[in-house]
Amino acid sequence: MARLGVWKWVGKRSRLLPAVLLLFAVSMDLATPRSVSAAALYAAAILAAAPLLSLRGTIITGVSAFLLDWAMFRYFGYRRSPVEFSELGMVATVTVIAAFLNRLLGHREMQLQSVRDIAAAAQRAVLPHPPERIGPLRFAAHYEAAQTDAQIGGDLYAVVDTPFGVRCVIGDVRGKGMEAVRAVAVCVGTFREAALQEPSLAGLVERLERAVALDARQAGSLFEIEGFITGVFVEFPQRGNEFRLVNRGHPAPLLFLGDTVQYVEPGRPDLPLGLAALGDGPECVDTVTFPEGASLLLYTDGLTEARDETGTFYDPVGRFTGHRHPGPDALVDDLLADVHRHTGGRRTDDMALLAVTRTPDDARPTSTR
């Protein structure tokens, strides 16, 4: 985290680099014999301005470098010498090139921002933020892609209010790139439709299994052979203080009861979606007590596989036992801050978090998100 803070500090002050280089160039000219030139530093200052400053700032840097270099020639008594014309011509040429590069970089940045906006819109469409509250349940979600500039990856989550209760899913697509993003879209889309139609949680998961298997066959290449999705499916009935859960090869959710934290292990290990043909038997549906004030955290392996500099994996149970959280937002925020402290700000895998807290039916949500 300290290293990340240093880079942020450097980034904020990088715009001062052209001015620092110009000052260093003048100091070098004044401190060295007249036969020594700081032309390289004047050129470096102008080129540094191209990616760091605006077009106007780049031109001002170039003009300043030209005038300072000209003043140094006058200071040392050069008058219309070939050396003076050559060096000043070089500074002027570099200024023109830097201005061109500045416009080119500006155009590329506009294109990149457009791609980022499209990716953000795709994320909102595929992974919309869950509602803050449905009945006694409050929700908070967070998604972080492994690549800093990425908006969406291979992790997924969804929350749907259905006639059969509130249904949630969190999953992790094996693989990366556009194949994984397409699989996310298929899984989330199928889940949202099937959650409203399938009366049982087991039936919902079986329908997802068929959709994932079909998508893998249609995708072809290695995804047909190796493509699968780990996932946890949760159903909160309209009445009662419990939830039903199906775990298809995914990391076990965390149940927060007061200041205790425990994993909700499945009654029977099951294979991920897309691999049901290799298993046997019906879906294993577990029922877990979920009293008022309890929180359930669904997450992907980007959380538990986060490592510090020594390679130690993040342990949410050990680090959060003994702590209380008033709601899902506080839980997600505290968890993210603690993970970032543990890893020093490094990301090696996508991470999705979905927290659910049960409150009294008449309790008002305190979230401001």
Side-chain angles (χ1 to χ4, degrees):
M1 186 65 71
R3 186 180 304 172
L4 184 62
V6 170
W7 280 112
K8 287 183 178 180
W9 184 87
V10 172
K12 291 179 179 179
R13 289 158 179 78
S14 60
R15 295 171 62 88
L16 299 176
L17 180 60
V20 171
L21 289 173
L22 287 179
L23 180 61
F24 189 43
V26 173
S27 301
M28 180 176 173
D29 271 337
L30 295 175
T32 57
R34 67 194 303 268
S35 59
V36 178
S37 172
L41 288 175
Y42 289 115
I46 301 169
L47 291 175
L52 297 176
L53 305 179
S54 64
L55 177 62
R56 180 180 179 183
T58 302
I59 294 175
I60 291 176
T61 302
V63 172
S64 299
F66 185 91
L67 294 176
L68 289 171
D69 199 18
W70 176 82
M72 290 298 101
F73 277 113
R74 291 295 178 269
Y75 176 79
F76 286 107
Y78 287 93
R79 293 292 188 276
R80 298 183 179 180
S81 67
V83 175
E84 178 185 4
F85 285 124
S86 175
E87 188 168 317
L88 291 178
M90 180 273 293
V91 172
T93 302
V94 171
T95 300
V96 173
I97 294 174
F100 171 76
L101 292 176
N102 179 272
R103 287 296 82 200
L104 181 62
L105 291 171
H107 179 66
R108 295 281 178 87
E109 179 62 28
M110 290 178 60
Q111 289 182 321
L112 180 58
Q113 185 59 48
S114 177
V115 171
R116 288 172 177 167
D117 292 341
I118 293 173
Q123 183 187 36
R124 290 192 296 269
V126 176
L127 299 178
H129 203 77
E132 291 185 5
R133 185 183 182 97
I134 301 176
L137 302 176
R138 290 170 52 198
F139 300 88
H142 181 81
Y143 185 93
E144 282 188 2
Q147 297 179 344
T148 303
D149 292 331
Q151 298 288 336
I152 190 171
D155 289 359
L156 62 97
Y157 59 79
V159 177
V160 181
D161 187 10
T162 78
F164 318 106
V166 178
R167 288 173 167 176
C168 310
V169 62
I170 194 161
D172 188 353
V173 177
R174 185 191 183 282
K176 303 291 182 182
M178 293 307 299
E179 292 285 349
V181 174
R182 191 202 68 255
V184 167
V186 170
C187 188
V188 173
T190 304
F191 174 81
R192 290 185 173 281
E193 178 184 7
L196 295 169
Q197 299 173 351
E198 294 291 340
S200 69
L201 186 61
L204 168 61
V205 177
E206 290 170 359
R207 186 159 167 179
L208 262 292
E209 169 66 36
R210 293 193 295 270
V212 170
L214 176 61
D215 179 65
R217 289 195 298 271
Q218 292 177 341
S221 69
L222 289 177
F223 197 83
E224 180 180 1
I225 304 173
E226 302 178 354
F228 59 83
I229 302 174
T230 67
V232 170
F233 301 83
V234 182
E235 178 182 87
F236 298 93
Q238 294 178 340
R239 295 178 179 83
N241 60 343
E242 60 187 24
F243 63 81
R244 304 184 186 99
L245 180 145
V246 173
N247 190 327
R248 295 294 298 269
H250 197 79
L254 290 169
L255 182 61
F256 293 76
L257 294 170
D259 57 0
T260 64
V261 186
Q262 63 188 54
Y263 288 107
V264 183
E265 298 289 352
R268 184 192 69 202
D270 249 330
L271 294 172
L273 295 174
L275 301 180
L278 303 178
D280 56 351
E283 299 292 343
C284 177
V285 181
D286 297 302
T287 301
V288 181
T289 301
F290 194 52
E292 291 182 1
S295 294
L296 181 68
L297 179 69
L298 310 178
Y299 59 91
T300 55
D301 59 9
L303 174 68
T304 49
E305 293 184 2
R307 306 187 191 190
D308 62 11
E309 294 182 349
T310 66
T312 302
F313 289 106
Y314 184 76
D315 176 22
V317 172
R319 298 177 74 100
F320 274 81
T321 296
H323 298 271
R324 293 177 177 268
H325 301 87
D329 292 282
L331 174 58
V332 169
D333 291 343
D334 291 348
L335 189 65
L336 286 172
D338 195 50
V339 171
H340 292 162
R341 282 193 296 268
H342 179 77
T343 63
R346 296 180 300 276
R347 300 179 188 173
T348 58
D349 196 4
D350 298 340
M351 179 173 65
L353 304 174
L354 177 60
V356 188
T357 299
R358 184 180 185 87
T359 61
D361 290 327
D362 58 349
R364 293 186 178 182
T366 59
S367 172
T368 58
R369 293 179 64 179

